[in-house]
């Protein structure tokens, strides 16, 4: 005897627990709004806008430089900028990308901190600032890194590039690959030192991107950026970043100078839970770049604050999962969710969840199932992926059949 479809449904319904029949099927989640694409790297939170409506914040300082930018590290919110997307020569700020590229090679275990590095004649002869390595000698990779970061040694930079990639030219291609991955769309590198070349350029916005990535992904190496002096081969040299002496909250990052580029400085400071990154390109002298950087940092800390709203990896809600071996899925942000807001407006913050409807198993851990939308006075300021905090496998035949029936209703 064949059961008619309607009779089959009634039979399945009769098999459901009484408590479920009494309460009815769970309501489907509201359809989410259109959401932005997820960020290119899971470790990098998306950029957040800072609302301008109704905020009592004075205009940022106008500093004397070819281009500049001030951002909140935790959210990417832009607090001040001028010609931030104009292509300019970075001089030794290039070494931020050089260092970042080497750190990625260290993380992949393609090279190691204790590697002996042979100093070539090319590295030894490289113009500009030097660590004073000797041709034909072997120097431990970690020492060369410190010489590049603290002493801004061009000779150390070339030696490192040759050890990692065989040649400076090939290493520059690794730098460009990393730049593309980080979304540095207005940058191109042809060397590891920042010596002048018409095809070697970046922008304030792009150099801020790699700086934030370096601090976030490699804090164990970033600590060297705050070192005030380093001695090698009996020669002690001081870090050229004057802010390390003037402001105890500054812990990096890098200076640069050529005749074409002018005086450049990327600085980062952390006060309480807030970290800011400033980029100054093309100042007139070393003092001007230091003053401009400190003016930008002080402005940002004085008039803005960065608040943690949700800790990364912690559930904010449980979602109903259909046809799975579990009915409830804990969801939350993959990383800490911050909001950058004008000081004194914390009480105006709110958030909502834009949840995907009909989440169906299997669900992988880390899968995006919606967004956390942060609002200030009702205006959206950031949107962060809402992800599954655990995996949900496919349910049994009974679980899948039962949920299919519920979804019909």
């Amino acid at each position: 005897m064949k059961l008619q479809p309607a009779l089959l449904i009634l039979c399945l319904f009769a098999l459901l627990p009484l408590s479920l029949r009494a309460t009815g099927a769970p309501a489907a989640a509201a359809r989410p709004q259109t959401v932005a694409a997820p960020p290119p790297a899971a470790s990098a939170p998306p950029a957040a806008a800072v609302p301008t409506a109704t905020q009592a914040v004075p205009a940022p300082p106008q500093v004397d430089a070819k281009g500049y930018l001030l951002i909140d590290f935790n959210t990417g919110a832009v607090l001040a900028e001028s010609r931030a997307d104009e292509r300019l020569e970075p001089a030794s700020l290039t070494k931020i990308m050089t260092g970042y590229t080497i750190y990625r090679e260290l993380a992949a275990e393609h090279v190691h901190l204790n590697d002996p590095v042979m100093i070539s004649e090319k590295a030894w002869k490289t113009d500009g600032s030097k660590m004073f390595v000797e041709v034909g000698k072997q120097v431990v990779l970690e020492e060369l890194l410190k010489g590049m970061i603290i002493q801004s040694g061009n000779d150390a930079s070339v030696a490192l590039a040759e050890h990692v990639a065989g040649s400076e030219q090939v290493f520059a291609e690794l730098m460009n690959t990393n730049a593309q991955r980080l979304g540095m769309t207005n940058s191109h590198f042809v060397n590891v030192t920042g010596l002048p070349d018409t095809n070697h350029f970046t922008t304030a916005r792009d150099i801020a991107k790699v700086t934030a990535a370096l601090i976030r992904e490699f804090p164990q190496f970033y600590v060297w950026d705050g070192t005030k002096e380093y001695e090698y081969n009996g020669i002690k040299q001081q870090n050229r970043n004057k802010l390390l002496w003037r402001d105890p909250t500054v812990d990096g990052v890098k200076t640069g100078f050529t005749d074409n580029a002018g005086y450049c400085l990327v600085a980062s400071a952390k006060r309480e839970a807030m970290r800011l990154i400033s980029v100054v390109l093309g100042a007139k002298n070393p003092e001007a770049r230091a003053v401009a950087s400190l003016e930008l940092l002080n402005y940002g800390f004085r008039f803005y604050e960065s608040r943690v709203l949700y800790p990364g990896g912690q559930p904010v809600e449980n979602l109903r999962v259909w046809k799975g071996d579990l009915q409830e899925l804990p969801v939350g942000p993959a990383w800490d969710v911050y909001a950058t807001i004008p000081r004194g407006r914390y009480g105006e913050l709110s958030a909502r969840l834009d949840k995907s409807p009909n989440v169906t198993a299997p669900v992988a851990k880390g899968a995006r199932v919606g967004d956390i939308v942060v609002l200030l006075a009702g205006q959206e300021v950031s949107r962060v992926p809402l992800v599954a905090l655990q995996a949900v496998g496919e349910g049994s035949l009974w679980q899948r059949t039962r949920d299919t029936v519920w979804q019909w209703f």
Side-chain angles (χ1 to χ4, degrees), residues 54-75:
T54 71
Q55 65 181 32
V57 175
Q62 301 294 307
V63 303
D64 188 9
K66 293 179 182 177
Y68 59 85
L69 180 72
L70 176 68
I71 66 167
D72 184 334
F73 166 76
N74 290 316
T75 65

Side-chain angles (χ1 to χ4, degrees), residues 15-344:
L15 292 173
L16 291 173
L18 182 60
S19 60
L20 288 179
R21 282 184 278 155
T23 57
R31 183 171 298 278
Q33 300 175 358
T34 302
V35 298
S43 60
V50 176
T52 56
T54 71
Q55 65 181 32
V57 175
Q62 301 294 307
V63 303
D64 188 9
K66 293 179 182 177
Y68 59 85
L69 180 72
L70 176 68
I71 66 167
D72 184 334
F73 166 76
N74 290 316
T75 65
V78 175
L79 308 183
E81 65 177 299
S82 176
R83 300 190 294 276
D85 295 308
E86 182 175 333
R87 291 180 175 181
L88 298 169
E89 291 189 35
S92 282
L93 300 187
T94 298
K95 291 165 188 159
I96 299 173
M97 175 57 82
T98 304
Y100 178 77
T101 301
I102 294 169
Y103 300 156
R104 286 184 59 82
E105 295 300 302
L106 285 167
E109 298 187 347
H110 295 156
V111 293
H112 304 86
L113 287 176
N114 59 359
D115 284 354
V117 178
M118 180 64 69
I119 306 303
S120 70
E121 186 173 357
K122 177 186 176 182
W124 175 66
K125 284 185 174 180
T126 303
D127 291 333
S129 54
K130 293 181 179 292
M131 179 184 175
F132 297 105
V133 293
E134 299 177 66
V135 66
K137 295 286 184 71
Q138 288 187 335
V139 181
V140 174
L141 187 147
E142 181 175 344
E143 288 188 280
L144 289 171
L145 273 174
K146 292 177 180 178
M148 180 185 74
I149 294 165
I150 304 165
Q151 300 175 333
S152 198
N154 288 347
D155 48 0
S157 304
V158 174
L160 286 165
E162 292 175 338
H163 178 73
V164 170
S167 72
E168 184 178 15
Q169 180 183 4
V170 174
F171 188 92
E173 290 306 310
L174 292 179
M175 296 167 68
N176 289 322
T177 298
N178 283 325
Q180 292 172 10
R181 186 181 56 84
L182 293 171
M184 298 170 62
T185 56
N186 287 305
S187 295
H188 187 260
F189 301 98
V190 298
N191 61 56
V192 298
T193 59
L195 290 173
D197 190 292
T198 55
N199 292 316
H200 189 92
F201 53 82
T202 190
T203 67
R205 197 178 315 278
D206 278 1
I207 209 70
K209 289 179 181 179
V210 64
T211 301
L214 188 154
I215 296 172
R216 181 176 295 109
E217 296 177 36
F218 302 108
Q220 72 275 30
F221 300 130
Y222 175 65
V223 294
W224 293 335
D225 291 72
T227 304
K228 293 182 178 179
E229 62 182 21
Y230 185 64
E231 181 175 341
Y232 176 77
N233 202 19
I235 302 171
K236 183 182 293 186
Q237 297 185 67
Q238 288 192 335
N239 196 314
R240 293 168 174 80
N241 184 357
K242 294 183 177 181
L243 298 190
L244 295 176
W245 284 266
R246 297 185 184 182
D247 186 335
T249 68
V250 173
D251 53 17
V253 179
K254 189 73 188 73
T255 62
F257 168 74
T258 64
D259 289 338
N260 292 336
Y263 291 86
C264 307
L265 174 58
V266 176
S268 184
K270 185 176 182 182
R271 301 179 189 176
E272 298 178 346
M274 190 177 191
R275 176 180 289 280
L276 298 179
I277 296 171
S278 66
V279 181
V280 173
L281 301 177
K284 293 179 178 179
N285 53 59
E287 180 65 14
R289 72 185 174 190
V291 170
S293 300
L294 199 54
E295 284 182 357
L296 290 170
L297 292 171
N298 285 337
Y299 168 81
F301 285 120
R302 169 61 183 84
F303 294 106
Y304 292 92
E305 60 182 317
S306 186
R307 294 289 194 111
V308 181
L309 304 182
Y310 300 101
Q314 297 298 312
V316 297
E317 189 172 306
N318 290 326
L319 292 188
R320 174 67 159 94
V321 181
W322 300 97
K323 303 180 183 180
D325 55 8
L326 296 174
Q327 288 192 21
E328 291 193 339
L329 169 66
V331 296
W335 53 78
D336 290 350
V337 177
Y338 284 81
T340 305
I341 57 174
R343 287 197 175 273

